[in-house]
Amino acid sequence: MNTQQLYRGVTEIDDALIEEALESPHQKRRRIRPFAMGAACLALISGVFFALRGGPTADPLPSSGEIYVMPRWEDMPLYRQYGQIDWDGADYYAACPVDAGAVGALLGGGTATGHDLYEDRDYSTVCAVYALSGISPAAAVAVQYEGHDGFYTCRAEDYSSGTLGELIDDLGLEQNLTFGLVYYDGAYQDPGRALSYRLPDPAAAWDLLLGDRALKNEGSGHYTASLMGFSVTVEVLGIHNLSLSVNGEGYLQTNLISTGASYHIGEEKVRAFLDYVFTHGEVVEWPQIAGGGSWEPEPVPETEQGASAPSRPPAAPE
Amino acid sequence: MDDRQIIELYWAREESAVSETERKYGPYCRSVAVNILGSAQDAEECVSDAWLGAWNSIPPQRPASLRAYLGRLVRNAALSLCRRSRAQKRGGGMEVLLSELGDCAGSRPSPEEEFDAGRLGEDISRWLRGLDGAKRRLFLRRYWLGESVGELARECRCTPNALAVRLRRLRLELKDFLEQEGYAL
């Protein structure tokens, strides 16, 4: 074990011990006070972050100089007010408005709840629950709140697919999935390669990534740092710029569903996907990140050995 | 906003999740990054990488301690940055930290397919729990939070040399423990 590996081990020290160190009397005195603002006023620091993360084609958010005000209850759209849905013993959360044309059969009645952050008060109403066309109710439904006409997509909090085929069918991905840019997270260690690419025919990558429907979902246990992946959208489910990616262990992984999913497609297919992107993809240049330096990949120093540092989350949900 | 609410923003893919994280934990994360890297510019890049890491990993993750989780992302991002030579070129604190940790590690890396950072973290946690509180906090503040020897010495009301001796003893104790646990050093 070398020092960098020991550093990585120290990084994984138990949360409770870290909290203890952070709560020590000396740490409390040292804590830097955040910029003092009103309870509901925030600087939209993430504006530039999201404009960049979404790629050059993303609509720009307000600049970092603008103030984002957390909306008051009465100013929130209906589905944000009553965002938690309880139906048929399962929990759903409201994601987005949905066109009536996508709504299917009536499934039953549910309860919708919400919380006013300012008043610290809970609200509740009833709603009618409908199927979404081509989408399994186990993954998502549409709701119509009592006394209102519109419909809203609500996604299941604990949905998990057994196989890749079930994920494709339950979310209606063949009809609903839109591919965005491809991001190459290995660019830092791969001189000459770009961070992002656009595939003229992204559907051609479908077979490589999604062709083996029988693959079992191995959950989030193999969800590690992405090597390369698509930013994908499923408009009807209110999913924008989530990830369908491959990792160095031969897994296809996605956070399309809340529980996370990974499928072992094999290192050969991972390699084939990377090669396909490098061969057919058009390089998309990233803008400079303000204050941080460029995204230009740098060669790994000769003295560095071993795998790249993990930017992975912990191995299992905590 | 409490951590549960911030995590819910991530799960709902609300972009305000990042600004809320920045508001609540920005100074803390920058502090860890500056401690480790020794450069404000590097720290900014490191913290940006950590926010990206949080956005990409929540969901599916739902951290029990958001503060510890973010600190972990910052530490990992700092190591990545160091490997890209930036911090080394600017003479950051990472070099000093790794040099000290060299007392309880070898020069040869274990094969990556056999190395389990999570298991090592659990073992080190077990060792830490066996220490008295003062030693435990000293180790964590130096080697997890990256606080400087000078700063720690001022708060412990001892000279930096005396504190350096205490830290070295701790590192040798950790080395003994790791060898007993079968780690190849």
Side-chain angles (χ1 to χ4, degrees):
Chain A
M1 173 175 60
N2 67 3
T3 54
Q4 290 196 12
Q5 288 172 325
L6 178 56
Y7 174 95
R8 288 159 58 191
V10 169
T11 299
E12 299 302 323
I13 284 172
D14 187 68
D15 284 358
L17 293 170
I18 305 304
E19 287 292 336
E20 181 193 25
L22 287 167
E23 287 303 318
S24 69
H26 298 299
Q27 267 298 311
K28 281 180 178 173
R29 285 199 293 273
R30 286 189 66 251
R31 191 167 300 150
I32 302 167
R33 290 193 172 278
F35 179 65
M37 303 180 80
C41 294
L42 295 172
L44 185 56
I45 302 161
S46 61
V48 173
F49 167 83
F50 280 105
L52 294 173
R53 186 65 183 95
T57 58
D59 289 336
L61 292 172
S63 73
S64 58
E66 298 186 21
I67 301 295
Y68 176 77
V69 180
M70 292 293 289
R72 301 198 71 88
W73 176 264
E74 57 271 21
D75 297 328
M76 291 165 64
L78 186 63
Y79 72 103
R80 292 286 187 225
Q81 289 179 330
Y82 297 94
Q84 288 296 126
I85 311 298
D86 178 7
W87 171 70
D88 197 29
D91 294 322
Y92 295 76
Y93 61 92
C96 61
V98 66
D99 190 82
V103 177
L106 175 67
L107 298 174
T111 305
T113 58
H115 184 75
D116 183 341
L117 287 173
Y118 287 84
E119 302 294 330
D120 194 20
R121 179 182 164 183
D122 291 331
Y123 290 88
S124 175
T125 188
V126 295
C127 57
V129 180
Y130 296 81
L132 280 165
S133 296
I135 291 171
S136 167
V141 295
V143 303
Q144 186 178 46
Y145 297 98
E146 186 180 50
H148 296 85
D149 292 330
F151 295 91
Y152 303 90
T153 291
C154 299
R155 304 211 296 263
E157 291 202 5
D158 295 324
Y159 166 76
S160 179
S161 70
T163 65
L164 181 55
E166 286 172 21
L167 179 76
I168 293 169
D169 294 340
D170 289 347
L171 269 59
L173 294 183
E174 286 184 351
Q175 298 79 31
N176 300 318
L177 184 71
T178 304
F179 291 97
L181 295 178
V182 179
Y183 295 98
Y184 180 38
D185 298 287
Y188 290 123
Q189 286 82 34
D190 198 351
R193 298 295 188 193
L195 265 180
S196 60
Y197 298 82
R198 179 180 292 112
L199 284 182
D201 181 19
W206 180 283
D207 279 339
L208 278 173
L209 298 181
L210 301 167
D212 191 345
R213 294 171 50 92
L215 291 175
K216 292 176 76 170
N217 177 9
E218 299 187 35
S220 58
H222 294 281
Y223 204 101
T224 63
S226 163
L227 185 56
M228 175 183 279
F230 276 106
S231 176
V232 295
T233 292
V234 184
E235 197 69 48
V236 67
L237 296 178
I239 291 173
H240 299 99
N241 293 330
L242 290 187
S243 172
L244 192 68
S245 66
V246 296
N247 66 26
E249 296 175 14
Y251 282 84
L252 171 73
Q253 57 192 25
T254 182
N255 57 356
L256 279 177
I257 56 177
S258 302
T259 50
S262 58
Y263 309 88
H264 192 250
I265 62 173
E267 292 179 22
E268 201 174 306
K269 279 197 173 172
V270 169
R271 188 70 240 170
F273 175 57
L274 264 66
D275 290 342
Y276 182 85
V277 172
F278 293 146
T279 303
H280 300 281
E282 300 161 1
V283 172
V284 176
E285 295 295 338
W286 276 70
Q288 196 84 359
I289 294 181
S294 75
W295 283 94
E296 185 179 341
E298 296 184 35
V300 177
E302 285 182 1
T303 56
E304 296 295 324
Q305 298 295 327
S308 58
S311 56
R312 65 173 179 83
E318 296 175 27
Chain B
M1 184 174 282
D2 67 25
D3 287 357
R4 181 188 59 83
Q5 291 167 325
I6 294 175
I7 290 169
E8 287 307 321
L9 288 176
Y10 278 103
W11 275 67
R13 308 314 283 166
E14 291 282 354
E15 290 158 350
S16 58
V18 175
S19 53
E20 289 292 352
T21 303
E22 164 71 28
R23 178 173 185 259
K24 188 169 183 181
Y25 292 117
Y28 150 68
C29 287
R30 269 183 201 84
S31 175
V32 174
V34 167
N35 285 344
I36 291 174
L37 295 168
S39 154
Q41 183 175 353
D42 285 329
E44 281 301 321
E45 183 173 350
C46 179
V47 170
S48 290
D49 285 349
W51 294 165
L52 180 61
W55 181 255
N56 282 340
S57 60
I58 306 173
Q61 297 303 328
R62 194 181 282 275
S65 166
L66 186 57
R67 180 163 56 173
Y69 187 83
L70 292 170
R72 202 171 284 128
L73 290 175
V74 167
R75 283 178 57 87
N76 286 336
L79 185 60
S80 284
L81 202 64
C82 180
R83 285 179 170 181
R84 299 200 297 270
S85 297
R86 302 180 84 93
Q88 287 176 359
K89 285 176 183 171
R90 294 176 183 149
M94 175 70 82
E95 281 295 281
V96 177
L97 275 180
L98 292 179
S99 170
E100 289 181 24
L101 289 175
D103 280 345
C104 26
S107 56
R108 290 175 57 193
S110 301
E112 273 305 311
E113 60 271 17
E114 296 171 19
F115 178 70
D116 185 345
R119 197 198 117 206
L120 177 57
E122 287 170 14
D123 288 340
I124 297 174
S125 298
R126 187 156 43 86
W127 171 72
L128 284 167
R129 286 189 200 98
L131 301 178
D132 68 56
K135 284 184 179 179
R136 182 165 59 244
R137 284 189 290 275
L138 180 62
F139 181 93
L140 287 164
R141 289 180 64 190
R142 178 69 187 127
Y143 298 111
W144 203 93
L145 290 167
E147 292 184 58
S148 71
V149 171
E151 200 165 48
L152 291 168
R154 269 193 299 278
E155 293 182 2
C156 294
R157 293 194 175 87
C158 65
T159 65
N161 279 345
L163 191 85
V165 169
R166 287 169 63 181
L167 286 169
R168 182 152 196 279
R169 285 194 192 124
L170 275 175
R171 295 195 301 270
L172 294 177
E173 287 179 32
L174 174 59
K175 180 183 179 185
D176 286 344
F177 171 85
L178 292 173
E179 284 175 334
Q180 286 168 20
E181 292 298 309
Y183 286 92
L185 303 182

